[in-house]
Amino acid sequence: MRDDAFLPNEDKIMRAMVLSKVGEPLTLQSLPDPLPGNDEVLLRVEACGVCRTDLHVVDGELPNIVTPLIPGHECVGIVEVLGPGVSGLKPGQRVGVPWLGGTCHHCEYCRGGRENLCDTPEFTGYTRPGGYASHIVARADYCVPLHHDADPVAIAPLLCAGLIGWRCLAKTGQAKRIGLYGFGAAAHIVTQIACRQQRDVYAFTRAGDITAQTFARSLGAVWAGSSDEMPPVPLDAAILFAPIGDLVPLALRAVKKGGRVVCGGIHMSDIPSFPYRWLWEEREVVSVANLTRADAHDFFAAKECKDIRTATRIYPLEQANQALGDLRAGRLSGAAVLKP
């Protein structure tokens, strides 16, 4: 972004929910429209999903947070202004802005096709201003082109919950029976994809959360229960979306020999010690970090990802704190989406 990014742009004003201090509520502010720099675009935000990673940002659970900051990285918008050097996008085009906002292109990970592990990455709504706003500046090469008829609210959760879920699902290989721990935005998308791939989904929720368990079954899960329960059959793999380290030993006990536990969050509480026998017999614990632009291309091109039904609750932009609070308290089935 340009050094003068927040100088007035033809006297236009944007609205944004701003994190001024970690741990405090966001505040609605009026700011000059930002100006796109080289290879950047200015978008008018149509919708922005509220992700658990946003909670980790505003609650200070991620390192090196610099305030003031505009959170949000499940952003859908319309291109309004092209910065110098942009050739792949055009004004009026609908695009998505995901978590990965930029990479260096020259570290060993970028050169090796693993840009999600870049040594000096940029992240939307964390190290770059995000989508809890009426406008956002994004790097053009990291925007995801979307169909002009796409529903902004329905598609917003796909830009993180969907993409990370897709990458997690790929980490399970050919697993037939898959457990999903934490049945929120990502899990309700992954369940639909896994069922279309002829896999069996076992949903694990907070103890006593009958609403989430019923929701999981309605999407095709063959079983739903509390996260402290054992499934009725051994699992081939498990994916953890809930940021609770205590679930790792439980998931290891639920998978069979040679099974894999995939940790899909960017932040998790400490994993407690557990007997080695729960890991033995070639069970594995792996993590998923961020995503790549190839993940987005593959996701939106895959036939099993077409017409995914996202359950959303819409909040006005100024109610971002309410949306974050509902997510934190587990009051959502599906995903919260802010609509400026």
Side-chain angles (χ1 to χ4, degrees):
M1 183 178 295
R2 289 167 51 161
D3 292 337
D4 60 352
F6 286 96
L7 291 178
N9 179 15
E10 299 179 359
D11 296 324
K12 294 181 179 179
I13 298 297
M14 64 175 272
R15 298 161 59 243
M17 293 297 290
V18 180
L19 177 69
S20 297
K21 184 177 180 181
V22 170
E24 293 187 353
L26 308 181
T27 57
L28 181 64
Q29 298 184 20
S30 295
L31 303 167
D33 265 1
L35 299 172
N38 292 336
D39 303 316
E40 293 182 329
V41 292
L42 173 67
L43 310 177
R44 173 175 54 83
V45 177
E46 296 182 291
C48 187
V50 178
C51 178
R52 185 163 293 278
T53 300
D54 299 336
L55 278 180
H56 299 320
V57 171
V58 302
D59 292 344
E61 294 172 328
L62 299 185
N64 306 318
I65 296 172
V66 177
T67 56
L69 172 66
I70 303 172
H73 58 275
E74 294 179 334
C75 182
V76 178
I78 299 295
V79 177
E80 286 197 340
V81 181
L82 304 181
V86 176
S87 59
L89 300 176
K90 59 185 180 181
Q93 183 175 0
R94 176 171 286 123
V95 300
V97 184
W99 171 246
L100 187 67
T103 56
C104 72
H105 302 291
H106 55 73
C107 71
E108 65 172 297
Y109 301 105
C110 287
R111 295 197 310 271
R114 296 188 292 170
E115 66 181 9
N116 61 309
L117 301 179
C118 175
D119 284 333
T120 54
E122 291 185 326
F123 298 117
T124 310
Y126 178 27
T127 63
R128 293 180 62 91
Y132 286 17
S134 60
H135 291 79
I136 183 175
V137 166
R139 295 194 181 280
D141 288 348
Y142 293 83
C143 291
V144 181
L146 301 173
H147 195 274
H148 68 276
D149 287 335
D151 177 357
V153 170
I155 211 162
L158 300 181
L159 290 163
C160 183
L163 295 180
I164 287 297
W166 175 252
R167 190 173 181 88
C168 289
L169 190 59
K171 287 284 188 181
T172 67
Q174 300 301 311
K176 171 66 174 176
R177 295 170 175 162
I178 299 176
L180 302 181
Y181 286 77
F183 207 85
H188 97 285
I189 294 169
V190 170
T191 294
Q192 296 174 68
I193 298 171
C195 289
R196 294 176 183 185
Q197 293 177 341
Q198 304 302 309
R199 306 181 194 230
D200 294 334
V201 173
Y202 295 75
F204 296 82
T205 73
R206 298 185 187 201
D209 193 344
I210 303 302
T211 299
Q213 293 168 16
T214 302
F215 182 45
R217 293 189 191 96
S218 74
L219 294 173
V222 299
W223 177 90
S226 300
S227 58
D228 56 358
E229 295 182 59
M230 285 293 106
V233 294
L235 304 176
D236 299 309
I239 302 174
L240 273 59
F241 293 119
I244 303 170
D246 288 345
L247 293 176
V248 173
L250 291 173
L252 281 171
R253 294 181 65 191
V255 300
K256 66 183 185 182
K257 292 182 285 188
R260 173 176 284 190
V261 174
V262 181
C263 301
I266 192 172
H267 170 82
M268 178 180 283
S269 60
D270 289 347
I271 300 171
S273 62
F274 54 87
Y276 174 66
R277 66 178 180 274
W278 295 354
L279 179 65
W280 188 57
E281 296 175 318
E282 300 193 355
R283 294 175 180 85
E284 299 176 304
V285 178
V286 300
S287 69
V288 163
N290 312 313
L291 50 92
T292 68
R293 286 172 286 179
D295 290 329
H297 178 271
D298 293 344
F299 176 85
F300 285 104
K303 64 179 186 301
E304 61 265 46
C305 298
K306 301 295 184 184
D307 301 318
I308 291 293
R309 178 167 65 91
T310 53
T312 57
R313 183 187 300 178
I314 298 174
Y315 297 77
L317 177 63
E318 57 269 21
Q319 291 183 12
N321 290 311
Q322 180 64 51
L324 289 166
D326 288 343
L327 175 60
R328 184 185 289 109
R331 291 190 288 264
L332 294 169
S333 291
V337 178
L338 301 180
K339 205 172 188 311

